[in-house]
Amino acid sequence: YARYPCDPVFMDAVYGSVPSELEIFANIETPRVSGSFALAVSDQEYSDFVRSIVERYDGDGIDDMPDLPRPILHWQIDNEPPFWQLGVTDGLTDDPQGWPALTRDDYARVVGLAREAIDTACPKCKLFVGGLIDMGSQAILVEEFYRPVLEALRGSRIDGIDIHVYGEAG
C-alpha cells in the first residue's frame, strides 16, 4: 500500500490512546486525483486498503491492532466531500472547483468499493457517507451532490450521513 498515505504506527497510537468508554467514528480519506474523487490508486489497492484497515480495528481477533481498547465499527468515507465541489479550492492545488457530475459519480463509486471492502472485513460495521457541510444552503448540497450520489448507490447499504452544522443551531 506504498502509494496510499497511511501510517499504521501513527494510527495505532491515536486509536490506542482513545479511552475504551468512547466509540470512534473513523474517517477514511480517498487517495484522489486532485480536483476530483477519481482514485489515485487502483480499485484493488483502495479496496485492499479499506479491507485491511477495517480488519485491523474491528476487534474480531483476526489481524487486529494489539491491545485495541475498543473496536471501531463506524466508518465514514471522506470528510465533507461536497466541500471540494462548492467553488472553493481543493486544498491540494488551489484550483477552483465546480459541480462536475463525474466527480459525484467517482465519489459514489469510491463509496461502493468501500462498502464491499468493509462488508468483507466486518459485516457488522457501519458505513457513513462523508459529512454534509453547512455552507448556507443545505438544499443545494442535497440536490446537487447527495441526491445524485445516493441514487448512484441505490441498492448499496448506506448506514448514515454525517451532518456538520457551523454557527448558531437556529
Side-chain angles (χ1 to χ4, degrees), residues 59-131:
D60 67 358
I62 301 168
D63 297 327
D64 287 342
M65 175 190 130
D67 302 316
L68 178 67
R70 184 177 187 137
I72 300 174
L73 303 176
H74 299 88
W75 296 92
Q76 173 179 268
I77 307 305
D78 287 285
N79 183 45
E80 299 177 347
F83 178 76
W84 309 112
Q85 308 304 303
L86 292 171
V88 296
T89 60
D90 73 3
L92 300 175
T93 65
D94 293 326
D95 289 335
Q97 304 300 299
W99 281 95
L102 180 60
T103 298
R104 293 188 306 252
D105 293 345
D106 285 338
Y107 181 70
R109 197 170 124 272
V110 164
V111 171
L113 289 169
R115 172 81 275 167
E116 291 174 17
I118 290 169
D119 283 347
T120 299
C122 179
K124 66 183 177 182
C125 284
K126 307 286 187 196
L127 178 136
F128 292 78
V129 172

